[in-house]
Amino acid sequence: MADTTHRFLPYQGVRYAQSETLQRSREFYQYMDKRRTLRLFSDEPVPKEVIENIIMTASSAPSGAHKQPWTFCVVSDPDIKTQIREAAEKEEYVNYHGRMSEEWLEDLEPFGTDWHKPFLETAPYLIVVFKKSYDIEGEEKRKNYYVNESVGIAAGFLLAAIHHAGLAALTHTPSPMNFLQKILNRPDNERPFLLIPVGYPAEAATVPDIRRKGPEEVTVWFEAAS
Ligand code: IYR
């Protein structure tokens, strides 16, 4: 029986000819494959509207029961950036001096990371992504669903939008990161998920010499026998 209580609208997605679909998929892959995680940022300002647009792109991601269980905190205030840097470096110092295993430290060697996090002050914007395990509506708690999956997908959209705008980002996970909740004064239903410095790359910035896996390493096909 037709559902008369919940309204549906005609789907208005675009439809391309097959040749154009192929071309677009190639071009998008080639463009996305140029994205690199960056740790060396310029302090050159980025227009605020760029950040608004990339956040709304992230917020267009699919989410469990369309709950959009995320908050994007955008930090450009130098004092708050300094507080975040100091708190992150305090935790990371402990990580690099005993909390991370030998194997972990060895796996990180190609990236040249250590406990110093200058990019937390240099990048013009820090976007702190918070996940919301529930919403608060008046006195009531309303549960959210598939929160990690939803916020992970939104973060992916955010990184793609940052790249598309010609900016660079770092997917940073200082650990533990509950200090972000305190510094940014977030309510109890929000937990920090990722900290993403955003900006233009520093002049002559370098990136690690690493390769991505090829299609045969990441794909398994199950096709009808021909
Ligand atoms: N959180 C630490 C360590 C670190 C861990 C992983 I896994 C990385 O890909 C990179 C760094 C840091 O930020 O230095």
Side-chain angles (χ1 to χ4, degrees):
M1 214 170 67
D3 182 340
T4 50
T5 39
H6 298 98
R7 198 161 69 113
F8 280 73
L9 301 169
Y11 174 63
Q12 292 196 318
V14 275
R15 169 83 210 210
Y16 300 108
Q18 229 176 65
S19 59
E20 206 178 339
T21 301
L22 184 60
Q23 180 71 6
R24 291 176 65 88
S25 69
R26 273 193 198 130
E27 284 174 3
F28 191 63
Y29 161 50
Q30 284 162 5
Y31 189 74
M32 290 303 290
D33 199 35
K34 290 203 187 84
R35 186 201 56 78
R36 294 299 310 257
T37 290
L38 207 77
R39 291 187 168 77
L40 297 157
F41 292 89
S42 154
D43 61 3
E44 187 181 334
V46 169
K48 185 174 176 180
E49 195 197 329
V50 173
I51 303 299
E52 289 169 352
N53 289 334
I54 63 176
I55 286 174
M56 291 316 287
T57 303
S59 197
S60 76
S63 60
H66 187 55
K67 296 281 189 170
Q68 299 181 273
W70 45 65
T71 302
F72 300 92
C73 289
V74 186
V75 181
S76 55
D77 180 325
D79 294 336
I80 303 177
K81 287 201 277 182
T82 300
Q83 284 180 51
I84 291 176
R85 176 180 178 177
E86 284 173 358
E89 287 186 334
K90 210 164 136 187
E91 293 293 356
E92 293 298 348
Y93 185 89
V94 184
N95 288 337
Y96 281 90
H97 291 84
R99 204 152 56 185
M100 290 193 290
S101 66
E102 281 304 315
E103 182 187 2
W104 194 349
L105 291 171
E106 199 183 301
D107 279 340
L108 288 179
E109 273 170 20
F111 307 95
T113 58
D114 63 21
W115 63 273
H116 296 95
K117 304 298 172 194
F119 49 77
L120 294 174
E121 287 185 302
T122 324
Y125 285 105
L126 306 178
I127 301 181
V128 190
V129 184
F130 284 84
K131 63 176 182 183
K132 298 163 85 175
S133 58
Y134 58 93
D135 283 325
I136 302 165
E137 282 172 20
E139 300 283 278
E140 217 192 334
K141 283 184 183 178
R142 299 283 303 195
K143 193 179 156 25
N144 291 328
Y145 309 94
Y146 299 100
V147 170
N148 287 318
E149 291 85 345
S150 301
V151 183
I153 295 166
F157 276 37
L158 185 72
L159 296 174
I162 290 166
H163 177 59
H164 186 255
L167 297 168
L170 168 63
T171 324
H172 186 38
T173 50
S175 169
M177 46 180 176
N178 41 354
F179 64 85
L180 291 167
Q181 184 145 10
K182 289 196 199 94
I183 294 173
L184 300 176
N185 200 20
R186 300 314 301 158
D188 208 45
N189 62 329
E190 294 188 11
R191 294 281 182 252
F193 186 76
L194 285 175
L195 169 49
I196 306 181
V198 183
Y200 289 102
E203 229 174 279
T206 58
V207 289
D209 183 12
I210 49 176
R211 297 272 171 278
R212 293 191 166 119
K213 290 180 180 175
E216 66 295 336
E217 292 171 281
V218 299
T219 321
V220 182
W221 294 89
F222 298 85
E223 296 178 291
S226 51

